[in-house]
Amino acid sequence: MLRTESLARVFQADEVETRALNNIDFRVKPGEFIAIMGPSGCGKSTLLNIMGLLDSPTSGNYYFMDENVARYSEKRRAQIRKSNIGFIFQNFNLIDELSVFENVELPLYYLGIGSSIRRTRVEEMLEKMGLAYRRNHFPVQLSGGQQQQVAVARALITNPALILADEPTGNLDSARGEEIMDALTLLNEGGTTIVMVTHSQRDAEYSSRIVHLFDGRVVNERF
């Protein structure tokens, strides 16, 4: 599904150069569930952002669906991203002014899908996630676990081939975190490819492969 070749990302601030990723060779097969681990500042989120087409590498190649997207413009990356990738963030990233229904609907709106189809798909998704009774509520009216459930529903609404999750249980208690990990496991069993950044060894054990980063390099992989 995706692979990198000698991938590097360097950030320049004044006269200080920070090498966040250092010649990474990495491959994700369709249907895998991969956990990326490592200390803070090792490059986990940078790698996830490049895989999600939110950023471009400084050098090296990145192939997504057999297409080298490393030098694509932001506009072209956005076109590929919104049709193929769903994101789940630690801080949920819900829009406070929108209801649960509207937050989940938003990706379909950006894809130009008609209102009647959007309504049907969102209602089905909310029912599936057990959120139908919250459809008119706003994020501030929800618990952390419910907000993350909405974020998962929003990530899934376009039926993406790939889910990228950045610390998806980081702001949740253990019970709510387990619910989210169980939901991701079910998605993966249904064929969705998942790449998750996490500090939690417990969460990482849900995956089929654990990749350890250190100083911007892959130092270990465990199946």
Side-chain angles (χ1 to χ4, degrees):
M1 169 169 277
L2 61 87
R3 61 187 169 94
T4 70
E5 296 176 343
S6 301
L7 194 76
R9 183 67 172 97
V10 177
F11 294 99
Q12 191 82 36
D14 297 326
E15 297 181 358
V16 178
E17 182 179 280
T18 302
R19 184 169 288 270
L21 298 175
N22 195 358
N23 295 324
I24 284 183
D25 294 317
F26 183 70
R27 182 184 296 267
V28 178
K29 298 177 182 178
E32 279 197 289
F33 187 165
I34 296 176
I36 300 175
M37 303 190 73
S40 296
C42 72
K44 300 186 302 297
S45 293
T46 300
L47 179 58
L48 203 72
N49 286 340
I50 291 176
M51 287 193 292
L53 302 175
L54 296 171
D55 194 10
S56 294
T58 304
S59 61
N61 295 311
Y62 173 40
Y63 293 87
F64 184 80
M65 304 287 197
D66 295 323
E67 188 174 355
N68 191 350
V69 299
R71 304 293 173 261
Y72 279 8
S73 67
E74 165 55 24
K75 181 178 180 180
R76 179 67 179 126
R77 295 200 313 269
Q79 290 172 338
I80 299 171
R81 182 173 65 234
K82 66 185 180 181
S83 301
N84 296 284
I85 304 173
F87 295 89
I88 303 172
F89 301 97
Q90 177 178 356
N91 295 320
F92 318 134
N93 283 16
L94 302 179
I95 299 176
D96 292 337
E97 295 78 17
L98 299 183
S99 67
V100 166
F101 186 98
E102 291 165 335
N103 266 284
V104 176
E105 179 187 35
L106 200 58
L108 298 179
Y109 177 82
Y110 286 141
L111 285 173
I113 294 173
S115 59
S116 61
I117 296 175
R118 293 202 309 267
R119 186 181 309 111
T120 298
R121 289 177 63 173
V122 173
E123 287 173 351
E124 289 175 350
M125 179 60 68
L126 293 180
E127 190 69 37
K128 179 180 179 180
M129 296 293 295
L131 291 166
Y133 74 109
R134 293 287 195 179
R135 69 191 311 278
N136 295 319
H137 291 198
F138 291 87
V140 71
Q141 298 173 294
L142 307 178
S143 68
Q146 289 167 337
Q147 289 186 57
Q148 192 61 297
Q149 284 180 299
V150 176
V152 171
R154 181 185 58 190
L156 297 179
I157 196 65
T158 59
N159 297 315
L162 174 66
I163 291 286
L164 299 178
D166 193 354
E167 300 284 0
T169 69
N171 285 330
L172 305 178
D173 61 37
S174 58
R176 300 290 82 76
E178 188 172 334
E179 289 178 2
I180 294 301
M181 293 309 303
D182 287 342
L184 290 178
T185 299
L186 285 174
L187 287 173
N188 180 244
E189 290 173 350
T192 302
T193 304
I194 298 174
V195 179
M196 172 183 68
V197 161
T198 183
H199 281 103
S200 169
Q201 185 63 44
R202 184 190 64 182
D203 289 357
E205 294 298 333
Y206 283 84
S207 70
S208 56
R209 176 157 57 112
I210 302 175
V211 177
H212 289 272
L213 294 188
F214 187 77
D215 286 348
R217 295 178 181 271
V218 174
V219 295
N220 183 41
E221 294 189 42
R222 179 165 66 83
F223 292 85

